[in-house]
Amino acid sequence: MPPIKDKYTIHSKAVVCQDVELKGDITIGAGTVVHPKAAIYAIAGPIVIGQNCIIEEGAILVNRRKEVMRVGDDNLFEIGCRVESPTIGHFNTISAKSRVHHTVRISSFCVIGIRCLVLPADDEILPDYTVIYGGSTSGDAAGVDAVVERRVWSGRGKVQEADLRRKHAEYLREMLPKFNRVRRGDGS
Amino acid sequence: MAPSVNYHCPCLSSAATPPPPNLPSSSYSFHPLHTLYFCEECDAVRCNRCVSVEVSGYYCPNCLFEVPSASVRAEKNRCARNCFQCPHCRNTLSVVPSDPPDAGDLTSSTIQIGSIGEPPFFLYCNYCRWDSAEVGITFEKPTGLALQLQKTEDSAPDSLEFERLKEHFEPFLRASSLSASTSHLPSTSHAPHTHTNPITAAASSALARDIPGVGKYNPSLGRSGGPGGGGGRSGRDRTANKDEMPEYRSRVQIGGAGSGGDEDADLMRHLEVPAEIARLEQRWVSSWATSLQSKHLKPLRIPLHSKPTKRCPSCRHILIKPEQKAQSVKYKIKLVAANYLPAITAHLPHAQIPKRPVALKSSVTSSTGPPAAEEDTAEPTMVAGKTYPFQLALTNPLYDPIHVRLAVQRAPLPPQLQSQDTAGTTDKEKEKTRRPPFAVSLPTSAFPIAAFAEAWEYEDEEELFDEDGGLVDKSSPAKDRAGKGKTKTVGVLEKKANCTVVGGEVVIGREGRGDVKFNMLVSYTYRSDDPAPSDGGEGDVEPRSPTAPKAAPEMKTFSFFTVVDLGVIVPKDETKVE
């Protein structure tokens, strides 16, 4: 495997902290916030992150495939989650400590619950408004719930949630640079 | 499984000594220390099985509202304010306003909604995204939700049915409570209870009361207070009941509404995803006549919790009394055994060797016996025919230093018990079980444990730290040598603050099987604060807390039994295979 060539394209309106591990070809869109201690690894192919996403501490985004990993707009990656999905739509919530494997593609308005492990054997596309949540209280040794429940969200309240997500990102864009060094892209 | 030490509560038997630990039933007499209480008046250990429990208050675990006990029954033991549970995942639901009319494009950054809540409101689960609008429950205003739901709840067929049943039985209950109050008086005179408070009296009278409807079916049990009038009265009841008890007809036909009909069979036949059917635990809390489908599940009012008060069963003194306020987690009275008895933890030094670094491990394990050390298992295994040291760490919770004496209970099993125990086994096996599978040696002399002191008292005492360090240095090679079984393993190994570690040794017989589990009598002597009550206490103490005759007059001794479980014996041939 050839050495990974680093190329970071960070929009001038994005807030990416200095203490973030980036590898490979990464594009980060306007208004996206990447907390310190997050990690984005474009190992095989590039990663393109859309607008107004929030990537919290300890979150890991990995692209293991050749093709571009596309992350849409207004997604929230909570603390300690690990996502390898090749495509992710808009307004998704990946909750804390959950793990999503590269066999899953996520559409829009999906919620992966806390500590949930999404690992289907075959490639799968989660339809819009899918909610995955831990059914059992007993996790395995790795600290994730392998047995998960699945529901379809009615979508009621999504406007309010979207509004909240926007405000969340807006607040972080204002506050994070006050306490953290911010990384700039290659271009700027 | 790590070695464990459990404490004996003598409430289950009249004998002072605990049951032999190899009987499965003995586990009911032994409890972890943190679950036990201590009655100062009786000078005895009490457990959750023997204390009498009274409810001192009800509260909602979500909104922490203290519900007056008068309204608990009316509200069906559930929160009657704004607290609901998600029927799918049991998370707490929150009330949210509806979305404004859909702007169409969410990705446009012009979403501007204020904090103005727009009706209708609905319940929303933040975890699994269920909302009550799915089952058609919406609210006009975001407060008093249970009140708003009351109408639909009360008109539900199952609650109507329940009300009707209550109405139906009301006259019989009233009649029976009347008859119970008349028949109760003579029965209390020969009741064995010497200490009754109103609550236990009410409970026992409720249990002893004649229920007319039941008496009809088994008239032989229709017993009442007077020996003369008993038969006649129950006979009269029987004849009267035939007229009094009309047959109850239910409002709805069972099977028609939800369960077991053709509809359900049809539904099952066309099932695509198993999640369409509500699981048993989701339907468990509802009535029997709910729909099978998970999309019909309704939000549940959160069940109330209670704060119990616990009393000593013999002297009625309060052992546990929580603070009334639901927000507070403190206790007004808390007499737990952990504050009176030394805490004992057991561990096997040979089980810890594998956890050490590899280089050290190889040097240590090369000479040691246990093959468990070679396997990289953290599980303490003991092989038959070998000798193992073990350590007991005793921690003193008292503000006075204590002297502790340990003794292994050597009382053999009574012969008939033994034969019962091994009734189903062959003679050869019987022979094996008769021989004790292991022998335990413990330090026989009493050893001191320093008094408990708050942590800050140690803070500035440099020399104490030095002493500790020295002790640790001295003791850690001793432990290693103990692992080789060459040096002294039985005796006091380490003293540190209010904790003393003593070593023991267990010799496992060649044919040893089962658990290394033995009863240990712990007696400790402490200086009693005022001799007068101690004398009084010693006068009527139970045999399990005998006063040491040699002790100085102001010293007091308390004894209790524990069971020490060190683990399972691995038979010798099995390890050879490995």
Side-chain angles (χ1 to χ4, degrees):
Chain A
M1 194 170 141
I4 301 163
K5 193 166 168 289
D6 288 350
K7 177 170 172 277
Y8 312 138
T9 314
I10 299 172
H11 193 277
S12 58
K13 288 231 176 91
V15 174
V16 180
C17 293
Q18 196 72 52
D19 197 7
V20 168
E21 242 184 285
L22 301 178
K23 262 197 192 85
D25 186 353
I26 295 164
T27 309
I28 295 176
T32 288
V33 176
V34 185
H35 284 241
K37 296 287 179 195
I40 304 169
Y41 298 130
I43 297 172
I47 294 180
V48 178
I49 298 172
Q51 300 179 8
N52 295 320
C53 288
I54 301 168
I55 300 172
E56 294 186 350
E57 290 171 18
I60 305 171
L61 270 69
V62 184
N63 186 10
R64 291 189 189 281
R65 302 195 173 190
K66 279 272 183 284
E67 63 260 41
V68 183
M69 171 175 173
R70 287 189 192 276
V71 179
D73 302 340
D74 299 279
N75 294 298
L76 171 62
F77 298 91
E78 290 187 352
I79 292 169
C81 69
R82 181 190 179 98
V83 181
E84 301 181 2
S85 301
T87 57
I88 296 171
H90 310 297
F91 285 106
N92 297 294
T93 303
I94 318 290
S95 300
K97 289 210 162 185
S98 58
R99 277 169 60 188
V100 184
H101 267 246
H102 60 86
T103 46
V104 188
R105 289 166 195 267
I106 301 176
S107 305
S108 298
F109 300 102
C110 293
V111 179
I112 313 293
I114 295 162
R115 271 171 43 115
C116 287
L117 170 66
V118 188
L119 174 62
D122 307 316
D123 277 20
E124 193 187 348
I125 300 174
L126 293 187
D128 286 2
Y129 301 108
T130 302
V131 180
I132 289 178
Y133 61 99
S136 60
T137 48
S138 62
D140 62 2
V144 290
D145 288 336
V147 182
V148 292
E149 305 276 331
R150 207 175 265 212
R151 278 179 47 76
V152 177
W153 178 29
S154 64
R156 269 179 286 266
K158 73 176 176 188
V159 179
Q160 293 165 76
E161 193 177 314
D163 182 52
L164 188 67
R165 182 73 50 84
R166 289 277 159 80
K167 282 178 182 158
H168 185 182
E170 204 171 293
Y171 176 82
L172 287 174
R173 278 196 298 273
E174 197 181 312
M175 298 306 285
L176 270 186
K178 291 185 181 171
F179 304 100
N180 291 278
R181 287 171 180 277
V182 174
R183 192 192 281 245
R184 290 285 154 222
D186 297 335
S188 57
Chain B
M1 207 186 76
S4 67
V5 180
N6 283 339
Y7 290 63
H8 179 236
C9 175
C11 61
L12 277 182
S13 67
S14 50
T17 51
N22 52 343
L23 296 183
S25 63
S26 75
S27 64
Y28 294 103
S29 303
F30 292 100
H31 313 270
L33 178 62
H34 64 265
T35 63
L36 290 173
Y37 311 105
F38 192 88
C39 179
E40 277 191 328
E41 294 295 318
C42 310
D43 209 18
V45 175
R46 302 289 179 215
C47 69
N48 267 324
R49 287 177 199 280
C50 58
V51 292
S52 58
V53 180
E54 295 155 19
V55 171
S56 75
Y58 297 90
Y59 66 99
C60 167
N62 189 43
C63 62
L64 295 179
F65 181 85
E66 285 150 51
V67 184
S69 46
S71 55
V72 167
R73 192 190 282 204
E75 290 165 6
K76 295 186 178 128
N77 290 351
R78 284 167 186 269
C79 181
R81 274 145 295 278
N82 287 335
C83 307
F84 289 89
Q85 258 181 352
C86 175
H88 285 265
C89 65
R90 297 294 148 84
N91 196 11
T92 308
L93 297 172
S94 48
V95 194
V96 293
S98 302
D99 277 343
D102 204 352
D105 191 16
L106 270 178
T107 47
S108 69
S109 55
T110 52
I111 309 168
Q112 281 302 326
I113 53 165
S115 54
I116 34 146
E118 289 188 27
F121 296 89
F122 54 89
L123 293 164
Y124 176 73
C125 174
N126 275 312
Y127 190 51
C128 70
R129 304 280 165 131
W130 178 86
D131 62 69
S132 65
E134 283 181 28
V135 288
I137 297 176
T138 50
F139 305 95
E140 287 308 308
K141 53 182 183 9
T143 49
L145 301 185
L147 212 69
Q148 293 184 55
L149 266 185
Q150 188 104 48
K151 284 168 232 132
T152 52
E153 211 174 77
D154 284 351
S155 60
D158 41 340
S159 79
L160 281 178
E161 186 76 57
F162 184 68
E163 289 301 322
R164 240 171 84 101
L165 261 176
K166 274 206 304 200
E167 257 170 49
H168 180 78
F169 285 114
E170 197 68 25
F172 301 103
L173 280 174
R174 214 175 297 128
S176 68
S177 66
L178 269 176
S179 71
S181 62
T182 52
S183 68
H184 187 59
L185 286 170
S187 73
T188 43
S189 58
H190 54 81
H193 297 282
T194 49
H195 35 260
T196 47
N197 69 342
I199 289 170
T200 48
S204 65
S205 82
L207 284 171
R209 151 199 318 164
D210 285 336
I211 301 170
V214 175
K216 183 171 72 170
Y217 295 107
N218 42 4
S220 62
L221 290 176
R223 185 203 63 87
S224 67
R233 212 182 61 86
S234 69
R236 198 183 63 228
D237 274 357
R238 219 189 320 163
T239 51
N241 281 333
K242 269 178 187 149
D243 306 323
E244 270 177 46
M245 183 79 105
E247 202 175 311
Y248 179 75
R249 290 194 186 281
S250 59
R251 275 181 73 256
V252 283
Q253 285 299 310
I254 298 169
S259 51
D262 284 345
E263 251 177 72
D264 281 354
D266 213 41
L267 174 77
M268 290 293 201
R269 218 170 281 138
H270 297 103
L271 195 67
E272 284 179 7
V273 195
E276 280 178 27
I277 298 296
R279 281 178 322 220
L280 186 59
E281 57 259 40
Q282 289 172 341
R283 284 182 284 142
W284 191 247
V285 286
S286 312
S287 75
W288 66 89
T290 49
S291 161
L292 274 180
Q293 294 178 62
S294 54
K295 66 179 178 196
H296 291 163
L297 289 169
K298 297 270 195 303
L300 311 155
R301 287 191 286 140
I302 285 183
L304 298 177
H305 285 199
S306 66
K307 285 192 163 191
T309 300
K310 297 183 177 176
R311 287 174 184 275
C312 171
S314 61
C315 70
R316 313 288 313 146
H317 276 85
I318 294 177
L319 302 177
I320 291 288
K321 190 179 175 64
E323 273 187 16
Q324 196 62 41
K325 269 171 67 180
Q327 285 94 331
S328 167
V329 291
K330 291 180 182 150
Y331 294 90
K332 279 183 187 145
I333 299 169
K334 188 176 76 171
L335 300 173
V336 292
N339 288 341
Y340 293 88
L341 310 181
I344 304 174
T345 52
H347 69 274
L348 292 158
H350 78 265
Q352 290 175 333
I353 290 168
K355 287 179 194 160
R356 297 179 182 211
V358 183
L360 219 157
K361 189 185 94 181
S362 61
S363 68
V364 172
T365 53
S366 56
S367 58
T368 47
E374 267 109 44
E375 303 161 16
D376 253 354
T377 55
E379 221 164 88
T381 50
M382 284 176 287
V383 183
K386 289 199 182 290
T387 301
Y388 294 95
F390 63 91
Q391 292 173 359
L392 298 172
L394 290 95
T395 309
N396 181 12
L398 302 174
Y399 286 99
D400 292 311
I402 56 173
H403 281 259
V404 179
R405 191 184 289 273
L406 303 176
V408 179
Q409 189 194 23
R410 290 187 200 280
L413 300 178
Q416 77 271 21
L417 228 169
Q418 177 101 22
S419 60
Q420 258 177 22
D421 201 18
T422 58
T425 56
T426 63
D427 280 352
K428 199 184 163 198
E429 277 172 353
K430 207 184 268 181
E431 192 65 37
K432 272 184 200 165
T433 48
R434 196 162 289 161
R435 210 180 300 145
F438 58 88
V440 176
S441 44
L442 279 169
T444 47
S445 60
F447 53 88
I449 308 178
F452 170 75
E454 306 294 342
W456 60 79
E457 290 184 31
Y458 291 103
E459 228 164 9
D460 295 326
E461 294 177 37
E462 291 278 326
E463 71 280 5
L464 195 95
F465 273 121
D466 285 348
E467 197 188 4
D468 281 352
L471 270 170
V472 170
D473 281 350
K474 258 181 266 167
S475 63
S476 52
K479 270 187 225 159
D480 280 359
R481 271 179 277 132
K484 289 166 194 167
K486 279 170 189 161
T487 48
K488 186 187 97 167
T489 52
V490 178
V492 178
L493 299 179
E494 189 183 343
K495 274 186 213 168
K496 191 177 179 184
N498 61 337
C499 176
T500 296
V501 179
V502 296
E505 207 169 50
V506 55
V507 181
I508 300 169
R510 288 200 167 276
E511 300 296 326
R513 287 285 185 303
D515 291 336
V516 181
K517 213 173 174 186
F518 57 91
N519 286 347
M520 184 173 73
L521 176 70
V522 182
S523 30
Y524 65 95
T525 312
Y526 60 100
R527 197 171 50 78
S528 98
D529 292 331
D530 40 353
S534 80
D535 281 340
E538 278 159 22
D540 57 3
V541 277
E542 288 89 332
R544 81 187 83 88
S545 55
T547 313
K550 287 177 206 155
E554 77 273 15
M555 301 303 270
K556 252 182 94 177
T557 299
F558 184 80
S559 307
F560 58 95
F561 273 101
T562 57
V563 61
V564 181
D565 185 1
L566 291 178
V568 190
I569 301 173
V570 177
K572 215 166 184 181
D573 36 357
E574 261 181 48
T575 51
K576 269 178 196 160
V577 173
E578 282 173 343

